[in-house]
Amino acid sequence: MVAPKYQRVLLKISGESLKGSATTGIDPEAVNYMAQQIGQVHRMGIQLAIVIGGGNIWRGGQAERWGMDRATADYSGMLATIINALALQDALEKRGIITRTQSALQIQAVAEPYIRRRAMRHLEKGRVVIFSAGTGNPFMTTDTASALRALEIGAEVLLMAKNNVDGVYDSNPHINPDAKRFASLDYLEALNRRLEVMDSTAVSLCMENKLPIVVFNIFEQDSMQSILSGDPVGTTITASD
């Protein structure tokens, strides 16, 4: 077996990925597929933390357009991420993978509070850690939570799992058949081009701390395992030479 390129990684999974082919909610097949892919990485001996979104259940921006207070809408979205985290935790533990869910909101009946050193200790013991409820603050996306948690736990790379595109393109590949996929990008180029990678706060945080980002399609079989083995998959965003 090829030695993994990274020893500790953070995987960002969008809530959209968990709805599979459905229009909303959680698709058991999609969750089990995620668990299977994570299991492959876990067997490589890699320490894996996960940040999960909640867009399959709730979107704060949409609720705000309905007239809801933005902070209230965002807190509701945080609760949606906890539901997704528990679903993924259950699927992982059914595969024999010890998993801990930590929440940035106090909800101790179902999840541990987020404590950085405890999370790192779980990783050192070979447990998968799922971070839910974003940063615990409204107006902050789960993309920003991903960058923040990755830096806090000392992850070597941030994996941005997409469910409908295999990297970063210069235009929308679903609209423009001639769209060009980038094999690599500089942080500043990603920001200046306003490419739909992740929100600008998250990209800036990674840039300031030189944390590489890999954008890939998690529904391409074994794509995550290939990235962690050192194969060129998706789009890598780093500082230019």
Side-chain angles (χ1 to χ4, degrees):
M1 181 179 291
V2 177
K5 183 177 181 180
Y6 306 102
Q7 296 302 313
R8 180 177 292 177
V9 305
L10 189 136
L11 170 67
K12 163 64 193 305
I13 300 176
S14 67
E16 295 285 332
S17 299
L18 298 186
K19 72 179 184 181
S21 58
T23 56
T24 188
I26 299 174
D27 178 6
E29 289 188 10
V31 175
N32 287 328
Y33 171 83
M34 296 287 178
Q36 183 260 335
Q37 294 296 299
I38 292 166
Q40 288 182 347
V41 172
H42 187 260
R43 287 192 294 274
M44 294 171 71
I46 293 171
Q47 297 179 15
L48 179 64
I50 301 167
V51 168
I52 196 159
N56 57 318
I57 299 172
W58 182 266
R59 287 200 168 277
Q62 185 179 54
E64 184 185 23
R65 289 191 293 273
W66 295 339
M68 180 178 281
D69 173 76
R70 175 59 189 271
T72 302
D74 283 353
Y75 280 120
S76 300
M78 293 176 210
L79 297 177
T81 71
I82 296 170
I83 294 172
N84 285 339
L86 294 176
L88 183 58
Q89 174 184 278
D90 182 75
L92 289 169
E93 293 196 328
K94 281 185 168 61
R95 291 176 174 272
I97 301 169
I98 300 174
T99 307
R100 295 290 184 269
T101 294
Q102 293 195 343
S103 171
L105 296 179
Q106 295 297 312
I107 186 165
Q108 294 186 34
V110 295
E112 295 180 358
Y114 170 67
I115 299 173
R116 172 179 170 268
R117 291 179 63 87
R118 182 182 291 178
M120 295 174 72
R121 185 61 176 151
H122 286 321
L123 294 171
E124 290 165 359
K125 289 184 174 182
R127 300 165 182 161
V128 171
V129 180
I130 305 174
F131 298 123
S132 64
T135 65
N137 302 291
F139 305 99
M140 294 289 176
T141 69
T142 50
D143 284 351
T144 299
S146 302
L148 178 63
R149 296 290 183 250
L151 293 168
E152 286 183 304
I153 65 171
E156 298 165 274
V157 65
L158 170 56
L159 303 182
M160 294 293 295
K162 302 294 184 180
N163 64 331
N164 59 357
V165 67
D166 61 349
V168 181
Y169 286 77
D170 60 357
S171 60
N172 189 332
H174 300 296
I175 298 174
N176 178 14
D178 297 320
K180 173 190 172 185
R181 182 173 67 84
F182 297 100
S184 61
L185 270 174
D186 176 77
Y187 298 113
L188 279 175
E189 188 176 6
L191 287 169
N192 292 336
R193 283 175 171 263
R194 298 180 182 272
L195 300 172
E196 295 182 3
V197 183
M198 54 201 297
D199 71 66
S200 58
T201 302
V203 176
S204 298
L205 195 55
C206 292
M207 179 174 66
E208 290 169 8
N209 294 276
K210 297 181 172 61
L211 176 67
I213 306 164
V214 180
V215 182
F216 70 105
N217 183 0
I218 196 168
F219 286 103
E220 284 186 3
Q221 191 69 32
D222 302 332
S223 55
M224 185 163 53
Q225 187 178 21
S226 297
I227 292 168
L228 299 175
S229 297
D231 297 334
V233 175
T235 301
T236 301
I237 304 173
T238 56
S240 62
D241 294 335

Tab-separated table of all heavy atoms in Angstrom, residues 29 31 63 94 97 106 135 177 198:
chain	number	residue	atom	x	y	z
A	29	GLU	N	-28.847	5.964	0.965
A	29	GLU	CA	-27.815	5.459	0.056
A	29	GLU	C	-26.636	6.421	-0.025
A	29	GLU	O	-25.478	5.995	-0.054
A	29	GLU	CB	-28.404	5.228	-1.343
A	29	GLU	CG	-29.349	4.047	-1.428
A	29	GLU	CD	-29.759	3.739	-2.857
A	29	GLU	OE1	-29.157	4.321	-3.785
A	29	GLU	OE2	-30.680	2.929	-3.040
A	31	VAL	N	-25.700	8.587	2.308
A	31	VAL	CA	-24.989	8.551	3.584
A	31	VAL	C	-24.117	7.301	3.684
A	31	VAL	O	-22.952	7.368	4.114
A	31	VAL	CB	-25.990	8.603	4.759
A	31	VAL	CG1	-25.257	8.449	6.087
A	31	VAL	CG2	-26.760	9.911	4.742
A	63	ALA	N	-34.278	31.369	4.131
A	63	ALA	CA	-35.205	31.733	5.212
A	63	ALA	C	-35.198	33.232	5.451
A	63	ALA	O	-36.237	33.836	5.749
A	63	ALA	CB	-34.842	30.981	6.490
A	94	LYS	N	-21.864	1.843	12.237
A	94	LYS	CA	-22.357	0.556	11.739
A	94	LYS	C	-21.275	-0.181	10.949
A	94	LYS	O	-21.358	-1.395	10.760
A	94	LYS	CB	-23.602	0.758	10.883
A	94	LYS	CG	-24.880	0.967	11.701
A	94	LYS	CD	-26.112	1.053	10.819
A	94	LYS	CE	-27.405	0.953	11.644
A	94	LYS	NZ	-27.562	2.024	12.622
A	97	ILE	N	-16.466	1.934	12.684
A	97	ILE	CA	-15.553	3.074	12.802
A	97	ILE	C	-15.999	3.926	13.991
A	97	ILE	O	-17.091	4.508	13.979
A	97	ILE	CB	-15.561	3.915	11.512
A	97	ILE	CG1	-15.139	3.055	10.323
A	97	ILE	CG2	-14.655	5.132	11.653
A	97	ILE	CD1	-15.364	3.717	8.981
A	106	GLN	N	-24.206	24.131	22.410
A	106	GLN	CA	-24.336	23.232	23.551
A	106	GLN	C	-25.581	22.366	23.382
A	106	GLN	O	-26.708	22.845	23.489
A	106	GLN	CB	-24.412	24.040	24.845
A	106	GLN	CG	-23.147	24.816	25.156
A	106	GLN	CD	-21.948	23.907	25.387
A	106	GLN	OE1	-22.027	22.930	26.133
A	106	GLN	NE2	-20.834	24.204	24.735
A	135	THR	N	-19.387	27.279	13.147
A	135	THR	CA	-18.529	27.891	14.168
A	135	THR	C	-19.311	28.209	15.435
A	135	THR	O	-18.736	28.654	16.425
A	135	THR	CB	-17.916	29.203	13.649
A	135	THR	OG1	-18.958	30.157	13.434
A	135	THR	CG2	-17.139	28.985	12.350
A	177	PRO	N	-20.318	24.209	-22.012
A	177	PRO	CA	-19.629	22.937	-22.282
A	177	PRO	C	-18.137	23.101	-22.538
A	177	PRO	O	-17.376	22.123	-22.481
A	177	PRO	CB	-20.350	22.402	-23.531
A	177	PRO	CG	-20.956	23.610	-24.166
A	177	PRO	CD	-21.293	24.541	-23.058
A	198	MET	N	-15.428	28.219	-2.528
A	198	MET	CA	-15.900	28.326	-1.160
A	198	MET	C	-15.970	29.820	-0.877
A	198	MET	O	-15.534	30.625	-1.700
A	198	MET	CB	-14.970	27.584	-0.202
A	198	MET	CG	-13.520	28.007	-0.304
A	198	MET	SD	-12.319	26.799	0.325
A	198	MET	CE	-12.736	26.695	2.051
